[in-house]
Amino acid sequence: MIKKQLIMDKALELFAEQGFEATSVQQITAHCGISKGAFYLSFKSKDELILALIDHFMTQFITNIDYEVKNTKNDGDLLYKFYYTIFDSFHKHSDFGKILIKEQMQSFNEEFILKILAYDQLMEKVILSMVERLYGEKIEQIKYDLIYCIKGFMKTYSELFLFHNLPLDLNLLAESLVEKTNLLAKHITIPFISTELVQLFKQPTQKEVTKEQILDIIEQCIEEIAESIEKESLILLKQQLLEPTLSPVLVKGLLENIRTHPHCKWVAYLLRNYFGF
Amino acid sequence: MIKKQLIMDKALELFAEQGFEATSVQQITAHCGISKGAFYLSFKSKDELILALIDHFMTQFITNIDYEVKNTKNDGDLLYKFYYTIFDSFHKHSDFGKILIKEQMQSFNEEFILKILAYDQLMEKVILSMVERLYGEKIEQIKYDLIYCIKGFMKTYSELFLFHNLPLDLNLLAESLVEKTNLLAKHITIPFISTELVQLFKQPTQKEVTKEQILDIIEQCIEEIAESIEKESLILLKQQLLEPTLSPVLVKGLLENIRTHPHCKWVAYLLRNYFGF
DNA sequence: TATACTAATGACTAACTAGTCAGTTGTCAA
DNA sequence: TTGACAACTGACTAGTTAGTCATTAGTATA
């Protein structure tokens, strides 16, 4: 397990520099100081490593944003916190950010694209819920344009510091983008992306996660982590999922317990959605 | 020469699908119906092919936009024409557009990155001149933010139709983005990208093209193209470059003669800048 | 028809790749 | 000390890659 993490860390560095395909398993193992065989004890294949990386960071990423959005009570702070969290994550995990921007689309492997696309749509969902909460029905006609503008800001402004490592004033960046977003939200009259247009490319993916799938993931999580409050909470949450007995406030408390544990973030996100928090 | 074009066309299709590295020379030659040896008669290496592709499309691309911007007399149409031309080009050369978005940064080869970066800066220069002409000194403080927002629009909105091939209403798209751009230009008060910040990452590249370099390129161009008005014009322009004798209006006419010829577009762009049109 | 030249071929090399597996090492418990 | 077991190694296979070059096909001129 610790070895798996080592490989993922070191591989990420190389991928960010050279890209997936240009990086060989040889290079990765050399960079880790382990043998080729040891690599294949942790991962079935090179592809599995890549998928694991995507899952690891994207779940972390979306989970953070989603939590921030859902738990900011004051609407006035919401956009600011959104941008701040986004760029803070990008900055902290700049290696993964580079990969994401670089390799975001059809690199070769159908599975990668679908995975990244699915996560991209989750992110859109989070942005959409934020936009709707902030601006209400007034922006019904222009909400998809707004989402695409926000995504545009995220892309161009993150490149600015991902690829030239400049000193970054996160506070100013967030404030600046909040102003831009508010401006667009208040004054756009000519939307380009209609609801019909969105339907046209939203057919695939977007499948709901079933209770059984969540149970599987909890199970896996329980095995992975050591004896702790998080583990106890997970076990109780699993029972709650099978047979609801606890009151909502208790469940919410249990979710708070596991919220920050790196291995539980994704489960926490799924459960929050499942229980309707 | 005709074979070179064939290889570039067919390679582009494969690159757009699979990326540079995932596409082998074998695949390219098979797709062209030629032998491996024949490939190496046209290009010294696989890298040379890629560089040639970048040059071919980027020069075409920037040249088109630059001409459109410089030759639109009415400021009211300028932004509209800019967006229209950009997305029209992206749409027509969607294969190259995909590659550009995908592979825009450090894929592995230092030379590619520098090339694309240099063209990117040329594009920024064109956008900057347009923004300054449209909004004047009012936007002095926010002009770089404006450029980055425009680039953000270009990125997100082009992905929309590059990767899901939807029906595209170019007119509506351009109008919609014109409105957004004007909104931002008029109301932004909190810029993020200061002039100092720009200086920090603008050190490399951006070298001016010398008269001698232009002469070299003209020479090459004259050899490449058949006997024609374009060729005659080129020869006269070359003489003008060595020894200015013709009046500006005549030079401008000669430039008009070569403007649309695919092999001369880049030369025309360089000469326009050199003669100050 | 003979000659000279260029265009084109594809088997070949050397260097790489992902993935395997027989064998070695290290670490425990008995 | 012995035995059992898991962790680990790196030479190995089978395949792909970019690039070369002796050979051949095609064409134009004398």
Side-chain angles (χ1 to χ4, degrees), chain B residues 103-118:
Chain B
E103 220 97 15
Q104 63 204 134
M105 45 222 53
Q106 25 80 277
S107 28
F108 42 99
N109 184 324
E110 188 73 17
E111 215 177 332
F112 299 171
I113 313 158
L114 286 177
K115 228 185 179 72
I116 291 181
L117 217 91

Side-chain angles (χ1 to χ4, degrees), chain A residues 16 155 159 176 179 189-190, chain B residues 106 155 159 176 179 189-190:
Chain A
K155 266 180 217 189
E159 268 176 39
S176 178
E179 187 197 35
T189 61
I190 314 171
Chain B
Q106 25 80 277
K155 267 180 216 192
E159 269 178 37
S176 178
E179 187 196 35
T189 61
I190 314 170

Side-chain angles (χ1 to χ4, degrees), chain A residues 94-193:
Chain A
S94 61
D95 276 344
F96 186 72
K98 281 179 201 170
I99 292 177
L100 201 66
I101 287 185
K102 237 189 87 172
E103 218 98 16
Q104 61 205 135
M105 48 221 52
Q106 26 81 276
S107 27
F108 43 100
N109 184 325
E110 188 73 18
E111 214 178 332
F112 299 170
I113 314 157
L114 285 177
K115 230 187 175 70
I116 292 182
L117 216 92
Y119 282 120
D120 193 59
Q121 292 188 0
L122 272 181
M123 179 65 94
E124 259 179 41
K125 227 171 157 180
V126 174
I127 300 178
L128 179 63
S129 78
M130 178 179 73
V131 164
E132 282 176 338
R133 173 177 152 196
L134 275 177
Y135 306 112
E137 295 208 347
K138 285 176 291 181
I139 49 92
E140 182 60 27
Q141 297 302 317
I142 60 157
K143 63 184 181 186
Y144 290 110
D145 272 75
L146 215 49
I147 292 173
Y148 271 77
C149 289
I150 292 172
K151 283 173 75 179
F153 293 150
M154 284 164 56
K155 266 180 217 189
T156 20
Y157 280 86
S158 61
E159 268 176 39
L160 209 57
F161 60 88
L162 277 182
F163 296 97
H164 328 263
N165 53 334
L166 305 173
L168 173 64
D169 184 345
L170 262 182
N171 174 49
L172 180 64
L173 176 55
E175 273 182 9
S176 178
L177 292 180
V178 165
E179 187 197 35
K180 292 181 181 71
T181 310
N182 280 327
L183 272 172
L184 293 174
K186 270 171 204 144
H187 296 112
I188 287 179
T189 61
I190 314 171
F192 173 69
I193 309 169

Side-chain angles (χ1 to χ4, degrees), chain A:
Chain A
M1 198 86 282
I2 205 93
K3 179 134 296 168
K4 218 165 169 170
Q5 196 57 51
L6 170 76
I7 294 172
M8 282 169 76
D9 286 348
K10 296 293 184 182
L12 189 67
E13 292 172 22
L14 294 173
F15 287 156
E17 266 177 51
Q18 311 169 318
F20 289 155
E21 289 181 279
T23 305
S24 68
V25 176
Q26 300 263 21
Q27 275 179 284
I28 296 169
T29 55
H31 200 220
C32 291
I34 60 170
S35 71
K36 222 171 166 195
F39 175 91
Y40 285 95
L41 290 176
S42 292
F43 296 96
K44 277 202 206 78
S45 67
K46 193 184 164 189
D47 280 7
E48 202 191 72
L49 162 64
I50 296 164
L51 291 171
L53 273 173
I54 297 175
D55 273 331
H56 178 78
F57 282 95
M58 287 307 279
T59 53
Q60 198 112 325
F61 214 67
I62 288 174
T63 296
N64 280 350
I65 305 291
D66 185 70
Y67 181 84
E68 211 62 48
V69 168
K70 287 211 175 119
N71 286 274
T72 300
K73 294 280 167 282
N74 184 348
D75 281 5
D77 299 339
L78 186 53
L79 251 184
Y80 176 87
K81 281 214 176 167
F82 169 80
Y83 279 122
Y84 195 99
T85 313
I86 287 271
F87 286 105
D88 195 35
S89 299
F90 261 133
H91 195 232
K92 276 183 189 141
H93 307 288
S94 61
D95 276 344
F96 186 72
K98 281 179 201 170
I99 292 177
L100 201 66
I101 287 185
K102 237 189 87 172
E103 218 98 16
Q104 61 205 135
M105 48 221 52
Q106 26 81 276
S107 27
F108 43 100
N109 184 325
E110 188 73 18
E111 214 178 332
F112 299 170
I113 314 157
L114 285 177
K115 230 187 175 70
I116 292 182
L117 216 92
Y119 282 120
D120 193 59
Q121 292 188 0
L122 272 181
M123 179 65 94
E124 259 179 41
K125 227 171 157 180
V126 174
I127 300 178
L128 179 63
S129 78
M130 178 179 73
V131 164
E132 282 176 338
R133 173 177 152 196
L134 275 177
Y135 306 112
E137 295 208 347
K138 285 176 291 181
I139 49 92
E140 182 60 27
Q141 297 302 317
I142 60 157
K143 63 184 181 186
Y144 290 110
D145 272 75
L146 215 49
I147 292 173
Y148 271 77
C149 289
I150 292 172
K151 283 173 75 179
F153 293 150
M154 284 164 56
K155 266 180 217 189
T156 20
Y157 280 86
S158 61
E159 268 176 39
L160 209 57
F161 60 88
L162 277 182
F163 296 97
H164 328 263
N165 53 334
L166 305 173
L168 173 64
D169 184 345
L170 262 182
N171 174 49
L172 180 64
L173 176 55
E175 273 182 9
S176 178
L177 292 180
V178 165
E179 187 197 35
K180 292 181 181 71
T181 310
N182 280 327
L183 272 172
L184 293 174
K186 270 171 204 144
H187 296 112
I188 287 179
T189 61
I190 314 171
F192 173 69
I193 309 169
S194 60
T195 316
E196 298 83 56
L197 199 66
V198 173
Q199 296 309 330
L200 279 173
F201 59 88
K202 274 285 166 54
Q203 293 124 348
T205 61
Q206 197 80 299
K207 49 188 175 236
E208 282 294 315
V209 182
T210 66
K211 194 168 101 178
E212 282 66 34
Q213 284 175 300
I214 300 180
L215 277 171
D216 281 350
I217 298 171
I218 293 184
E219 208 74 63
Q220 206 184 314
C221 220
I222 291 173
E223 277 174 42
E224 271 176 13
I225 66 179
E227 223 61 54
S228 61
I229 292 177
E230 281 91 353
K231 189 159 187 163
E232 277 182 64
S233 305
L234 269 178
I235 292 168
L236 286 173
L237 282 164
K238 184 184 147 195
Q239 286 166 0
Q240 175 72 9
L241 206 59
L242 291 167
E243 214 172 342
T245 52
L246 302 171
S247 68
V249 64
L250 288 174
V251 176
K252 193 145 204 267
L254 290 173
L255 286 174
E256 276 302 307
N257 287 343
I258 61 169
R259 191 178 73 74
T260 53
H261 191 290
H263 281 92
C264 303
K265 282 189 175 183
W266 187 239
V267 172
Y269 170 80
L270 292 176
L271 286 171
R272 269 205 306 278
N273 280 351
Y274 184 84
F275 290 123
F277 294 123

Side-chain angles (χ1 to χ4, degrees), chain B residues 71-90:
Chain B
N71 286 274
T72 300
K73 295 281 167 278
N74 184 350
D75 280 6
D77 299 339
L78 187 52
L79 251 184
Y80 176 88
K81 280 216 177 165
F82 168 80
Y83 280 122
Y84 195 98
T85 312
I86 287 270
F87 287 104
D88 195 35
S89 300
F90 261 133

